[in-house]
């Protein structure tokens, strides 16, 4: 019985890891999980928002708080542009000033190249949303 419980627990943990991406601060402490369906959860797995397949960003009560456009433009709920994520991972504010970088390995850096976090296998626009634009708090 004990072996069965251990096997089930391991299977559940493996399943969760396969269905969620982890977002960590510079010290590798997890502060968010993003499920494959776009549900964003905090470190204790409480839902804080949703990133829909069409780019709509919603808070935990399903109110639209912003949009991620296919060209990397990030907008708030009133469609005002608040930033951009370039193809090379450069993150810019609405006036095109560079505010950070999302590296291909998932390392997130501020504008002075100091590592502020890690978002391995997370879409760069989603990582920028959490680290720089904070539409989901």
């Amino acid at each position: 019985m004990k072996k069965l419980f251990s096997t089930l627990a391991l299977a559940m943990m493996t399943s969760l890891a396969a269905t969620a991406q982890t977002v960590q601060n510079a010290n590798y402490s997890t502060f968010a999980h993003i499920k494959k369906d776009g549900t964003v959860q905090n470190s204790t797995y409480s839902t804080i928002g949703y990133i829909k397949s069409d780019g709509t960003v919603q808070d935990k009560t399903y109110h639209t708080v912003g949009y991620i456009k296919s060209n990397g433009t990030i907008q708030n709920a009133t469609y005002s542009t608040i930033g951009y994520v370039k193809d090379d991972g450069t993150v810019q504010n609405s006036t095109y000033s560079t505010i950070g970088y999302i590296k291909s390995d998932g390392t997130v850096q501020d504008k002075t190249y100091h590592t502020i976090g890690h978002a391995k296998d997370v879409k760069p626009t989603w990582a920028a949303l959490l680290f720089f634009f904070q539409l989901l708090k």
Side-chain angles (χ1 to χ4, degrees):
M1 182 69 142
K2 194 175 197 178
K3 185 176 180 178
L4 176 62
F5 179 74
S6 296
T7 303
L8 287 173
L10 180 62
M12 286 174 49
M13 288 174 32
T14 303
S15 175
L16 179 60
T19 61
Q21 299 161 325
T22 303
V23 182
Q24 302 168 313
N25 66 19
N27 296 321
Y28 293 95
S29 293
T30 298
F31 72 87
H33 304 276
I34 305 173
K35 294 170 71 175
K36 290 205 182 283
D37 68 357
T39 300
V40 182
Q41 300 172 319
N42 65 17
S43 62
T44 61
Y45 295 96
S46 294
T47 298
I48 59 173
Y50 307 90
I51 304 171
K52 301 295 188 180
S53 60
D54 68 356
T56 301
V57 181
Q58 298 174 323
D59 65 16
K60 66 181 177 182
T61 61
Y62 298 99
H63 290 100
T64 298
V65 294
Y67 304 92
I68 300 172
K69 300 297 184 182
S70 60
N71 65 357
T73 301
I74 310 290
Q75 298 175 321
N76 65 17
T78 61
Y79 296 98
S80 294
T81 297
I82 59 174
Y84 307 91
V85 180
K86 302 297 184 183
D87 289 338
D88 67 357
T90 301
V91 182
Q92 299 175 323
N93 65 16
S94 62
T95 60
Y96 298 99
S97 294
T98 297
I99 58 174
Y101 306 91
I102 311 291
K103 299 296 191 181
S104 61
D105 67 357
T107 302
V108 182
Q109 298 175 323
D110 65 15
K111 67 181 180 181
T112 61
Y113 298 99
H114 288 102
T115 298
I116 59 172
H118 308 275
K120 185 177 180 184
D121 300 323
V122 175
K123 293 179 184 178
T125 50
W126 294 14
L129 183 77
L130 292 169
F131 281 96
F132 297 105
F133 300 114
Q134 299 179 1
L135 290 176
L136 297 174
K137 296 177 186 177

